[in-house]
Amino acid sequence: MDALHPRLLVSRFADTFRFYDAVLPPLTGARLTRGTAQGPYASWDVDDQGVLMLFDRAAMAAVVGTSGLPGRAAPAQDGAMLVSRVPDVAAAYDLCLRHGAEPVTAPADRPEWGPGMRTAHLRDPDGTLLEFQSY
């Protein structure tokens, strides 16, 4: 049983699928367990535990009755992000850039966040904020 896992509702399913399918295995050891780039659903697991799921935003909107609402809010601060601790922040950042992520903040030391903290931030192809960190 998966205790709790993120499911991203995405508008650019195929692009977002290809991104995570390329970066999750080397970064987290996750393997694709269900789905294809055609959607509407895909999931990746580590040791039989759900790590990340994607679901087509329009398909979920149809299920929960929100199809008539806007798919995206006006520009605003992020409400959530995916965070992963990695051994090499710069390598994770570069891997994601090679697979279509948009840079937000380059790898940098963040001593104000804690001893040895280093982070980088990017956006996946659908705009979800990602943070890679090491400490």
Side-chain angles (χ1 to χ4, degrees):
M1 178 175 116
D2 297 331
L4 183 65
H5 57 264
R7 178 178 293 170
L8 300 179
L9 305 178
V10 299
S11 298
R12 296 178 54 197
F13 191 94
D15 292 337
T16 307
F17 173 92
R18 285 189 291 272
F19 173 77
Y20 284 109
D21 201 42
V23 304
L24 283 175
L27 291 176
T28 68
R31 63 181 176 76
L32 179 67
T33 56
R34 281 182 224 99
T36 67
Q38 287 71 45
Y41 178 82
S43 64
W44 291 263
D45 290 3
V46 171
D47 298 330
D48 296 324
Q49 291 294 306
V51 172
L52 181 68
M53 286 68 187
L54 300 180
F55 199 78
D56 180 78
R57 182 186 307 270
M60 182 55 70
V63 169
V64 299
T66 58
S67 294
L69 298 175
R72 290 267 186 206
Q77 294 178 358
D78 294 285
M81 72 176 168
L82 298 178
V83 179
S84 182
R85 185 174 173 190
V86 296
D88 184 337
V89 170
Y93 181 82
D94 291 341
L95 174 69
C96 290
L97 289 177
R98 286 193 311 272
H99 290 284
E102 292 294 323
V104 176
T105 64
D109 293 330
R110 305 252 182 241
E112 68 279 16
W113 291 8
M117 178 65 78
R118 185 166 178 77
T119 68
H121 298 89
L122 307 103
R123 292 194 184 281
D124 75 13
D126 204 60
T128 300
L129 184 61
L130 307 175
E131 177 181 281
F132 294 106
Q133 58 178 236
S134 64
Y135 50 90

